[in-house]
Amino acid sequence: MAWFRNLTKVSSIKSSLKNTHPFPLLASSLTHFSTEANKHNQAPPGLGPTRPNEKPRVVVLGTGWAGCRLMKGLDTNIYDVVCVSPRNHMVFTPLLASTCVGTLEFRSVAEPIGRIQPAISREPGSYFFLSNCTAIDTDNHLVHCQTVTDGVDSLDPWKFKISYDKLVIALGAQPLTFGIHGVEEHAIFLREVYHAQEIRRKLLLNLMLSDMPGISQEEKSRLLHCVVVGGGPTGVEFSGELSDFIMKDVRQRYAHVKDKIHVTLIEANEILSSFDDRLRQYATKQLTKSGVHLVRGIVKDVKAQKLILNDGTEVPYGLLVWSTGVGPSPLVNSLELPKAPGGRIGVDEWLRAPSVQDVFSIGDCSGFLESTGKPTLPALAQVAERQGKYMANLLNKIGKAGGGRANSANGVELGEPFVYRHLGSMATIGRYKALVDLRQSKESKGIALAGFTSWFIWRSAYLTRVISWRNRFYVAINWLTTFVFGRDISRI
Amino acid sequence: MAWFRNLTKVSSIKSSLKNTHPFPLLASSLTHFSTEANKHNQAPPGLGPTRPNEKPRVVVLGTGWAGCRLMKGLDTNIYDVVCVSPRNHMVFTPLLASTCVGTLEFRSVAEPIGRIQPAISREPGSYFFLSNCTAIDTDNHLVHCQTVTDGVDSLDPWKFKISYDKLVIALGAQPLTFGIHGVEEHAIFLREVYHAQEIRRKLLLNLMLSDMPGISQEEKSRLLHCVVVGGGPTGVEFSGELSDFIMKDVRQRYAHVKDKIHVTLIEANEILSSFDDRLRQYATKQLTKSGVHLVRGIVKDVKAQKLILNDGTEVPYGLLVWSTGVGPSPLVNSLELPKAPGGRIGVDEWLRAPSVQDVFSIGDCSGFLESTGKPTLPALAQVAERQGKYMANLLNKIGKAGGGRANSANGVELGEPFVYRHLGSMATIGRYKALVDLRQSKESKGIALAGFTSWFIWRSAYLTRVISWRNRFYVAINWLTTFVFGRDISRI
């Protein structure tokens, strides 16, 4: 019946259209444009201080774990939220290593800000600005920004300012290269989705190039040598994923080169140094078993096709992934705020930057001031997420008590200071194996698990933490299809 | 219990590892490398003619619809298959427009060659070479190639040769720009996955930039003006997807700019000129209703931020998508083979290039020679797919009859020539609306459908045609999540 209804529909349309020209005249169809163009309404070059009839404005710098957890928890009935970041999504970093080899898809680990805090794209006073913060003027409650215009060749970036009532600095950290020459140029980090994309493209390209006629055995070995520098959780997880990819997918789909591909993990000290001894040994054994060469060494120099260790050994590579921890970014270094050990932005027990009004800092870019007597917390998603949550509650509390405006929170009772309780560490080491360390600290006793059970716990824990239902669903679907069909190897 | 077993496992590992150094010595762990490096085995600079103890070799140039359908159907017990293409996957082109706005994911429309023809990555004599064909030497049964090394800065492309027993040229076509200045530079085509990725990134960037402080109303209008040139199925489908994205997702997630975004479709003649009159009118009405401005005009010049029409009208744009049909590529133009009308490689009724031995051509790059008296077939996936299937059967037949080797098929009975029967045309025009034209040709009578039913037919038809079960599954999942959660807007 629907079939016939459609046919009738078409006929009736035909008759209704008979007398109208199918193409409206050019002039009339482009009116929206000319009228707009004639207006020349210049928008203000920034957001000025909030007026009494507006909500107070919280400016959040950064879209990592800390900033996003904060925005998710902010009460948008109290505050307008303005977020400044060069990326419009949060990266679910613990699963990023899995995307490099196609176990998971890139979009499954990226969560758009608008889904984390819908007000940001709906409320008239809330905004997301795809920009970098270039400077902070704490005296005038101002943030200086510059737009990100990569991909639009015809547009130069421009500058603007935002006034804040409350400012939360959650700029994160950047990979440490220890001043080693060539790292920035030749190695790939594993912090952003585009890093994972680059690794995937390069890995697949090397696999294909190594099968070409006219290539020497030496060059083939080089192209198929994947080197990971840094034996922390990221390096270990990536090595595990890579060896899993090689054992399961490369053997089937790149049969010509399957015996030539190798993974080497270079670490100056012990791998997974923060984990329990037994877990570390288990990880070492599992990685070795799955073909990862563990090498203890210090990288001295990185060239385009090889790296050089401290003892002079040359290690040719086709793919070099660098994950030796993180340190403060140039912007954080440039800020004229008191610093915590390690160059982080110093904060008190309530995560406030002291000596200035209305400035807070959370996540990897901040650390407790020495005067608090508290230790610097590790640069973990877990810490950032907990601080973001705490900060949301703190700001909501301040706002409810009427201290939301700039310079108005002096009398407000802040309540409990931030206390971090470590819930345990987790790391996968490839095929259905993971480590779970549920001790509170390195010295204390607690539960340490390895193997399939902990792999299952790891997967479940992460699945329930991926923020939106959409991405939870996609991660589960990705895992299922990888299990059933293998990984995707199209190089797009 | 599993919990306890794991704990025991860790303990037993601990003891088993006690006496082994967790890090093997550097020298021993890098042996695979030095031994390889010392061999200096030079691989031959190409694949020479097949020997009697080897299977005859079919070389396929291209991984579009034609080449992939051919490879899928080739009997790998008879032939070795060598494929040369700059991309290692087939793009499911009819769904590409949907990926630009996030209705579908990029990987759901890309099928790796290794999944289409598994022998290519498993059989010792079958290969996929990520390369461009640079020349064809029909006298010596040789193909000249050059590797693709984009993304590996430290590696220069190199050249090699492949001998063929049978050669199938399925190089496809390239977008027509009619020599209009600035098209290549400023417009984006919609033929490859990376085009769709570029469109998506640019669209999301423009949406975000247009919301920045300091932007003029004029600039905002420009950034949010999406112009599509070319009213064929691709242009219409992309316009439809775009207006659907605007109506459904932009209004919710970019509330600040929702009324400023516009889509203009520029076409010199009629949109969907190959479709039934009634369908064309229906499409015109639907597109207009969903906010697409249809403009009849001819583009004269394209600049970075505006294009100029023949009548002098300037049309500022933020995103320009160009889909005005396709023509032969420079390589096809350079081949010294008889040509068909339109510059395509001329073929006889059995899709053979005449006057040379063992060379065939299928898909958009080929056309019937005038001497055959047959019309040039449209550059459609449907035609390419049917020709690929026919070619697989023809080559299998030749191989079974003992004519698989170079210069040995002269006496073989080829059977039925290739006959194309048009099964109908389909195009979506946005939200649950599509056109299905089941007529055999433009002049003949037949069934023409529009609306939800045909949208349903369209979706079902495509879903069953996406080659692997993995991608069928993903396309269905993508459609489901888009329906439930909306489109993904993270700019990665």
Side-chain angles (χ1 to χ4, degrees):
Chain A
M1 286 307 281
W3 181 276
F4 282 105
R5 268 203 302 278
N6 263 293
L7 276 176
T8 334
K9 210 168 166 187
V10 171
S11 309
S12 66
I13 286 149
K14 193 186 169 183
S15 52
S16 74
L17 278 175
K18 237 186 300 187
N19 296 321
T20 37
H21 195 280
F23 273 86
L25 287 174
L26 183 60
S28 67
S29 66
L30 285 173
T31 41
H32 71 275
F33 222 95
S34 41
T35 43
E36 288 298 336
N38 291 340
K39 273 186 203 159
H40 280 290
N41 285 347
Q42 206 69 28
L47 299 179
T50 51
R51 278 167 246 151
N53 61 338
E54 293 172 330
K55 286 183 262 186
R57 180 186 302 144
V58 176
V59 174
V60 181
L61 306 181
T63 48
W65 279 90
C68 287
R69 185 62 188 83
L70 160 65
M71 285 189 277
K72 187 183 162 81
L74 271 183
D75 187 340
T76 52
N77 292 317
I78 303 176
Y79 292 107
D80 278 334
V81 185
V82 173
C83 176
V84 176
S85 171
R87 68 171 197 221
N88 83 337
H89 56 273
M90 182 192 138
V91 180
F92 196 80
T93 42
L95 293 180
L96 195 57
S98 298
T99 65
C100 300
V101 294
T103 310
L104 290 178
E105 270 318 312
F106 301 119
R107 272 170 206 284
S108 307
V109 303
E111 192 74 47
I113 306 306
R115 216 184 286 144
I116 293 171
Q117 178 49 271
I120 222 157
S121 51
R122 287 181 198 164
E123 293 290 314
S126 290
Y127 293 94
F128 169 77
F129 294 137
L130 192 80
S131 306
N132 284 304
C133 167
T134 52
I136 299 169
D137 177 356
T138 51
D139 293 340
N140 298 303
H141 278 59
L142 266 180
V143 175
H144 294 257
C145 305
Q146 178 165 323
T147 57
V148 171
T149 53
D150 66 302
V152 174
D153 38 1
S154 55
L155 210 62
D156 287 327
W158 67 91
K159 294 175 185 218
F160 61 95
K161 296 175 203 170
I162 309 166
S163 294
Y164 60 80
D165 288 300
K166 306 290 169 201
L167 174 68
V168 184
I169 308 172
L171 288 163
Q174 68 172 32
L176 285 176
T177 63
F178 307 105
I180 299 167
H181 180 258
V183 177
E184 296 267 5
E185 202 178 339
H186 305 298
I188 310 175
F189 302 117
L190 189 45
R191 308 262 307 156
E192 302 285 346
V193 172
Y194 65 83
H195 292 144
Q197 286 171 325
E198 196 184 342
I199 291 171
R200 185 152 161 184
R201 281 183 66 82
K202 195 155 186 178
L203 183 63
L204 292 174
L205 181 64
N206 286 352
L207 275 164
M208 288 187 279
L209 282 179
S210 64
D211 198 17
M212 295 276 188
I215 197 162
S216 69
Q217 290 298 317
E218 189 179 348
E219 184 66 357
K220 185 180 277 199
S221 293
R222 180 188 75 76
L223 282 173
L224 294 175
H225 192 205
C226 306
V227 176
V228 182
V229 178
T234 306
V236 167
E237 289 191 356
F238 177 68
S239 305
E241 282 284 350
L242 203 54
S243 69
D244 193 14
F245 172 65
I246 292 166
M247 305 243 285
K248 189 149 179 238
D249 299 77
V250 173
R251 303 217 159 192
Q252 260 189 40
R253 307 206 201 156
Y254 297 92
H256 304 134
V257 298
K258 66 177 194 289
D259 301 323
K260 309 270 183 186
I261 186 163
H262 295 283
V263 183
T264 300
L265 175 59
I266 300 176
E267 164 63 47
N269 301 302
E270 297 233 48
I271 62 162
L272 297 174
S273 56
S274 67
F275 281 70
D276 178 275
D277 276 353
R278 292 169 306 164
L279 290 179
R280 212 155 61 220
Q281 287 175 349
Y282 178 76
T284 304
K285 198 190 158 197
Q286 285 298 330
L287 286 174
T288 309
K289 208 166 119 186
S290 62
V292 177
H293 296 257
L294 297 169
V295 171
R296 195 173 273 191
I298 295 171
V299 177
K300 195 172 69 180
D301 194 11
V302 177
K303 305 210 178 286
Q305 308 199 353
K306 64 184 176 190
L307 57 83
I308 294 144
L309 298 181
N310 246 0
D311 62 0
T313 317
E314 298 198 343
V315 184
Y317 66 82
L319 174 73
L320 178 59
V321 174
W322 195 269
S323 72
T324 55
V326 292
S329 63
L331 176 64
V332 168
N333 283 331
S334 76
L335 293 177
E336 286 180 9
L337 292 170
K339 294 288 161 68
R344 295 173 170 207
I345 297 168
V347 291
D348 65 11
E349 290 92 334
W350 292 271
L351 310 179
R352 296 179 298 183
S355 77
V356 289
Q357 286 284 315
D358 301 317
V359 178
F360 305 81
S361 183
I362 54 179
D364 293 359
C365 69
S366 78
F368 285 120
L369 287 160
E370 268 184 292
S371 58
T372 61
K374 292 191 169 193
T376 300
L377 297 172
L380 291 176
Q382 202 177 146
V383 176
E385 196 260 346
R386 228 74 64 71
Q387 289 186 332
K389 190 177 175 187
Y390 173 85
M391 185 53 53
N393 291 334
L394 184 68
L395 288 178
N396 290 342
K397 189 170 184 174
I398 292 172
K400 272 184 202 136
R405 302 268 162 207
N407 302 311
S408 71
N410 275 335
V412 176
E413 174 59 50
L414 296 182
E416 290 295 313
F418 175 75
V419 176
Y420 176 67
R421 287 178 65 84
H422 189 64
L423 288 185
S425 307
M426 293 189 283
T428 42
I429 41 169
R431 223 155 156 51
Y432 310 127
K433 298 272 190 303
L435 310 174
V436 176
D437 193 342
L438 297 176
R439 300 169 307 155
Q440 294 277 331
S441 74
K442 213 185 156 172
E443 289 70 37
S444 65
K445 296 209 175 290
I447 300 166
L449 294 172
F452 181 79
T453 309
S454 56
W455 175 84
F456 189 78
I457 293 177
W458 183 90
R459 291 233 151 163
S460 317
Y462 278 141
L463 203 49
T464 53
R465 277 198 188 188
V466 172
I467 288 173
S468 72
W469 279 103
R470 181 203 180 95
N471 277 356
R472 281 181 212 187
F473 176 67
Y474 262 105
V475 168
I477 291 285
N478 287 164
W479 277 334
L480 177 71
T481 42
T482 297
F483 185 77
V484 177
F485 301 105
R487 293 174 174 85
D488 183 89
I489 54 157
S490 46
R491 184 173 181 265
I492 57 174
Chain B
M1 286 304 284
W3 181 277
F4 282 104
R5 269 203 300 280
N6 262 292
L7 277 177
T8 334
K9 211 168 162 187
V10 172
S11 309
S12 66
I13 286 149
K14 192 186 170 184
S15 51
S16 74
L17 277 177
K18 235 186 301 186
N19 296 321
T20 37
H21 195 281
F23 272 86
L25 287 174
L26 182 60
S28 67
S29 66
L30 285 173
T31 41
H32 72 274
F33 221 94
S34 40
T35 44
E36 286 299 335
N38 290 340
K39 273 187 202 156
H40 279 290
N41 287 345
Q42 207 67 28
L47 299 179
T50 51
R51 277 167 246 152
N53 61 338
E54 293 173 330
K55 287 183 262 186
R57 181 186 300 143
V58 176
V59 174
V60 181
L61 306 182
T63 48
W65 278 91
C68 287
R69 185 62 188 82
L70 160 65
M71 286 190 277
K72 187 183 161 83
L74 272 183
D75 186 341
T76 52
N77 291 317
I78 303 176
Y79 292 107
D80 278 333
V81 186
V82 173
C83 176
V84 176
S85 171
R87 70 172 194 218
N88 83 336
H89 56 272
M90 182 193 137
V91 180
F92 197 80
T93 42
L95 294 178
L96 196 55
S98 298
T99 65
C100 300
V101 294
T103 311
L104 290 178
E105 268 319 311
F106 301 119
R107 273 167 206 284
S108 307
V109 304
E111 192 74 47
I113 306 306
R115 215 185 283 145
I116 293 171
Q117 177 48 270
I120 222 157
S121 50
R122 285 180 200 165
E123 294 290 314
S126 290
Y127 294 94
F128 169 77
F129 295 136
L130 192 81
S131 305
N132 284 305
C133 168
T134 52
I136 299 169
D137 177 354
T138 51
D139 294 339
N140 298 304
H141 277 60
L142 267 179
V143 174
H144 295 256
C145 305
Q146 178 165 327
T147 58
V148 171
T149 53
D150 66 300
V152 174
D153 39 1
S154 56
L155 211 62
D156 287 327
W158 66 91
K159 293 177 184 215
F160 61 94
K161 296 174 203 170
I162 310 166
S163 295
Y164 60 81
D165 288 301
K166 308 289 170 203
L167 174 67
V168 184
I169 308 171
L171 288 163
Q174 68 172 32
L176 284 176
T177 62
F178 309 104
I180 299 167
H181 181 259
V183 178
E184 295 268 3
E185 203 178 337
H186 305 298
I188 310 177
F189 302 118
L190 190 45
R191 309 262 305 157
E192 303 284 346
V193 172
Y194 65 82
H195 292 145
Q197 287 171 324
E198 196 184 340
I199 291 171
R200 184 150 161 187
R201 280 182 67 81
K202 194 153 184 177
L203 182 64
L204 293 174
L205 181 64
N206 287 351
L207 274 164
M208 288 187 280
L209 282 180
S210 64
D211 197 18
M212 295 276 189
I215 196 161
S216 69
Q217 289 298 318
E218 189 179 347
E219 183 66 356
K220 187 180 274 199
S221 292
R222 180 187 74 77
L223 282 173
L224 294 175
H225 191 206
C226 306
V227 175
V228 183
V229 179
T234 306
V236 167
E237 289 191 355
F238 177 68
S239 306
E241 282 283 349
L242 203 54
S243 70
D244 192 14
F245 172 66
I246 293 165
M247 304 241 286
K248 189 149 181 236
D249 299 77
V250 172
R251 303 218 159 190
Q252 260 191 40
R253 307 206 200 154
Y254 297 92
H256 305 132
V257 297
K258 67 178 194 287
D259 301 323
K260 309 270 183 186
I261 186 162
H262 294 284
V263 183
T264 299
L265 174 60
I266 300 177
E267 163 63 46
N269 301 301
E270 297 233 47
I271 62 162
L272 298 175
S273 55
S274 67
F275 280 70
D276 179 275
D277 277 354
R278 291 170 304 164
L279 290 179
R280 212 155 59 222
Q281 286 175 349
Y282 178 75
T284 304
K285 196 187 160 199
Q286 284 298 332
L287 285 175
T288 309
K289 208 166 119 185
S290 62
V292 177
H293 296 257
L294 296 169
V295 172
R296 197 175 269 192
I298 294 171
V299 177
K300 195 171 71 178
D301 194 11
V302 177
K303 305 210 178 287
Q305 307 198 353
K306 64 183 176 191
L307 58 83
I308 294 144
L309 298 181
N310 246 1
D311 64 359
T313 318
E314 299 198 344
V315 184
Y317 66 82
L319 174 73
L320 177 61
V321 175
W322 194 271
S323 72
T324 55
V326 293
S329 63
L331 176 64
V332 168
N333 283 331
S334 77
L335 293 178
E336 287 181 7
L337 292 170
K339 294 289 161 66
R344 294 173 171 208
I345 298 168
V347 291
D348 66 10
E349 290 91 335
W350 292 270
L351 310 179
R352 295 179 299 183
S355 77
V356 290
Q357 286 284 314
D358 302 318
V359 178
F360 305 82
S361 184
I362 53 179
D364 294 358
C365 68
S366 78
F368 285 120
L369 286 160
E370 267 185 293
S371 57
T372 61
K374 293 190 170 194
T376 300
L377 297 172
L380 290 176
Q382 202 178 147
V383 176
E385 196 259 348
R386 227 75 63 72
Q387 291 187 331
K389 190 179 174 185
Y390 173 84
M391 187 51 55
N393 291 334
L394 185 68
L395 289 178
N396 290 344
K397 190 172 183 176
I398 291 172
K400 272 184 201 135
R405 303 266 161 208
N407 301 311
S408 71
N410 275 335
V412 177
E413 175 58 50
L414 296 181
E416 290 294 314
F418 175 75
V419 177
Y420 176 67
R421 287 178 66 84
H422 189 64
L423 288 184
S425 307
M426 295 190 280
T428 42
I429 41 169
R431 227 157 152 50
Y432 311 127
K433 298 272 191 300
L435 310 174
V436 176
D437 192 341
L438 296 176
R439 300 168 307 153
Q440 295 276 332
S441 74
K442 213 185 156 175
E443 290 69 37
S444 66
K445 296 210 175 290
I447 300 165
L449 294 171
F452 181 79
T453 310
S454 57
W455 175 84
F456 189 78
I457 293 177
W458 184 88
R459 291 232 150 164
S460 315
Y462 279 140
L463 203 50
T464 53
R465 279 197 187 190
V466 172
I467 289 173
S468 71
W469 278 104
R470 181 204 180 94
N471 277 356
R472 281 181 211 187
F473 176 68
Y474 262 105
V475 168
I477 291 286
N478 287 164
W479 276 335
L480 177 72
T481 42
T482 297
F483 184 78
V484 177
F485 301 105
R487 293 174 175 84
D488 182 88
I489 53 156
S490 46
R491 183 174 182 264
I492 57 173

